[in-house]
Amino acid sequence: MRKNIIAGNWKMNLDYNEGVSLFSEIVNMVKDERKGDQLVVICPPYIHLNSLAKLGGAEVKIGSQNISDNESGAFTGEISAKMVKSTGAEYVIIGHSERREYFAESDELLAAKTKKALEHHLNPIFCIGETLDERNNGSYYEVLKKQLLHGLFSLTEADFSKITIAYEPIWAIGTGLTATPEQAQDIHAFIRSEIEANYGFNVADDTSILYGGSCNPKNANELFSQKDIDGGLIGGASLKSRDFTDIIRVFNS
Ligand code: PEP
């Protein structure tokens, strides 16, 4: 059975005290208001991983926003999967479009990071998405297919079954533009069909596929009611406890 997941990506926001304060609010609200069995994950900057993993308990899981593809050693400024795992974090975002674009992360590098995460028992949330040009010129199915093929489809079936995919159209991230529920459903169904072609029906049916891109309490309900949308990766709205927990709540309504 695939899981329903709401994951927040704090990006490079919130100093130590601000992070603890927002996270404590989120944990309390989730405790009070969550109905149903969604998994809630927050992916803060590295400085927060350990303290928030302790505060989150069973209610809210913690993920990193990135890891190195290397095991350890002379890689100044990097953080390893083993280090992230040792904080109590259980998830890691891999291939966010901001890392692909600003840090030139290739599909091959992302495949190596994914393998490294799995070696250390971190659950990857693997992001794919097309630019506005690729959407407008109609090449987006090919673009997404290539990201899946090179980033993920060399995994064994057992490893692939630990992956969550986030479809994040780049033109919708932080822009206030959202894919329509129909556009998002169309792509989620396409992603699931590509998984089925590679790993079979059961694996495809069990894979959680999240939508990300200007998701908010107003549009969440319609997006999440699509049959192939299993939750969301939330950027801006995860920095406001009310908006983030409202998104969790509408998931159930
Ligand atoms: C994201 O960065 O993963 C994201 C979806 O951002 P936003 O919700 O702000 O568009």
Side-chain angles (χ1 to χ4, degrees):
M1 266 288 280
R2 57 198 199 231
K3 292 191 201 92
N4 291 327
I5 302 174
I6 300 289
N9 174 14
W10 283 0
K11 310 194 187 194
M12 196 174 74
N13 292 295
L14 307 178
D15 69 16
Y16 186 78
N17 291 327
E18 290 165 344
V20 170
S21 159
L22 174 63
F23 189 76
S24 305
E25 277 173 39
I26 289 174
V27 173
N28 286 333
M29 290 163 104
V30 166
K31 262 190 206 145
D32 290 347
E33 296 179 26
R34 182 172 53 177
K35 305 183 195 82
D37 59 356
Q38 303 99 344
L39 182 63
V40 180
V41 183
I42 290 284
C43 300
Y46 303 130
I47 61 154
H48 298 295
L49 292 174
N50 186 236
S51 50
L52 301 196
K54 285 184 183 135
L55 279 174
E59 297 297 330
V60 183
K61 305 289 181 191
I62 298 298
S64 167
Q65 296 171 19
N66 180 34
I67 49 163
S68 171
D69 59 317
N70 290 293
E71 182 62 25
S72 65
F75 300 100
T76 302
E78 287 289 86
I79 188 162
S80 72
K82 185 167 182 241
M83 291 169 187
V84 168
K85 182 70 186 179
S86 74
T87 66
E90 295 173 56
Y91 288 80
V92 55
I93 298 174
I94 295 179
H96 191 281
S97 61
E98 288 152 17
R99 299 240 26 120
R100 289 178 188 262
E101 185 182 350
Y102 306 143
F103 301 94
E105 295 197 351
S106 65
D107 289 327
E108 290 65 31
L109 176 68
L110 299 174
K113 289 188 179 206
T114 302
K115 287 188 179 135
K116 193 52 80 181
L118 292 166
E119 265 171 54
H120 289 281
H121 309 288
L122 287 170
N123 302 298
I125 300 174
F126 191 91
C127 303
I128 62 173
E130 80 282 2
T131 63
L132 188 57
D133 278 354
E134 290 160 348
R135 164 75 38 185
N136 288 338
N137 70 24
S139 64
Y140 51 101
Y141 290 114
E142 276 316 303
V143 168
L144 297 168
K145 190 172 174 162
K146 184 169 159 287
Q147 290 173 351
L148 288 169
L149 182 66
H150 297 303
L152 290 177
F153 286 168
S154 64
L155 293 174
T156 62
E157 184 179 318
D159 276 346
F160 186 86
S161 63
K162 295 171 191 138
I163 303 288
T164 296
I165 293 178
Y167 167 57
E168 299 207 307
I170 296 168
W171 47 271
I173 296 182
T175 58
L177 295 173
T178 317
T180 64
E182 295 72 27
Q183 282 173 323
Q185 166 56 28
D186 175 53
I187 298 298
H188 282 231
F190 170 72
I191 294 168
R192 210 177 293 287
S193 71
E194 289 297 310
I195 300 169
E196 183 173 349
N198 280 272
Y199 293 101
F201 175 82
N202 289 340
V203 174
D205 196 44
D206 281 351
T207 303
S208 298
I209 308 176
L210 315 184
Y211 169 79
S214 299
C215 194
N216 61 45
K218 290 204 180 85
N219 58 29
N221 191 15
E222 247 203 298
L223 284 162
F224 298 158
S225 54
Q226 304 301 310
K227 85 179 188 16
D228 287 296
I229 302 185
D230 307 308
L233 181 54
I234 318 295
S238 72
L239 293 168
K240 295 182 194 132
S241 54
R242 183 75 272 162
D243 282 1
F244 187 64
T245 48
D246 278 351
I247 290 173
I248 296 169
R249 187 140 40 86
V250 296
F251 204 157
N252 262 328
S253 58

